[in-house]
Amino acid sequence: MSSMQRIQNIVIGLITIAVSIFMMSLPERGYQLAALIISISFTVSGLRTLLYYFTMSRFMVGGKRILFRGLILLDLGLFTSTFINSSKFYMILYIVIIHAIAGAIATLKGRQAKQNGAPSWKLSMVYGVVNLLMALFCIIFIQSTDMIVYIYCAGLIYSAVMRLYSVFRRTEIVYV
């Protein structure tokens, strides 16, 4: 990771923690802010992936997969923006699905890393289990919107802490 990427990750991590604390202080409005954050992050990620497809990966092997990923992320972001002010149930379901998918992918990645003998399998496994637990807590507290906002904010804080940890972790590859 270059020094500019380290600085960028530190700034993003600190901003994420600050926004999470702000959302926890206003849980009744935190739902709309959470929906807005999810919508913007999916839309921006989709646009970045599409830009990457059109500039570089169009002629690469697996380029169509990148195109489809960009289109799906863009669609998810635009779809999420349609129910920012509507039903809270759909947003809660969205948060559950996001945590469950992220947890399952990270857990499987950690399992595969353990089979390959990589030392970072523990971190990936813990990240996956925490995400699965957050999805479970969202299902348990599905009636309480405030609790869902707290769980979502805890997930954001955990993600920011993991980002900051990755910035200060020693790398085994020397970058020139």
Side-chain angles (χ1 to χ4, degrees), residues 35-92:
L36 185 67
I37 288 171
I38 291 172
S39 172
I40 289 173
S41 64
F42 275 148
T43 304
V44 168
S45 180
L47 289 173
R48 284 180 61 200
T49 306
L50 287 174
L51 180 68
Y52 175 67
Y53 170 75
F54 287 117
T55 56
M56 293 186 68
S57 71
R58 184 174 28 178
F59 303 110
M60 292 171 31
V61 174
K64 286 193 189 234
R65 190 180 78 203
I66 293 171
L67 172 67
F68 294 143
R69 181 186 306 155
L71 289 174
I72 289 171
L73 287 171
L74 182 64
D75 286 344
L76 283 173
L78 295 176
F79 177 68
T80 307
S81 68
T82 61
F83 56 82
I84 288 176
N85 293 322
S86 63
S87 176
K88 294 180 181 181
F89 176 74
Y90 295 119
M91 194 63 214
I92 293 170

Side-chain angles (χ1 to χ4, degrees), residues 121 145 161:
W121 71 271
T145 308
V161 167

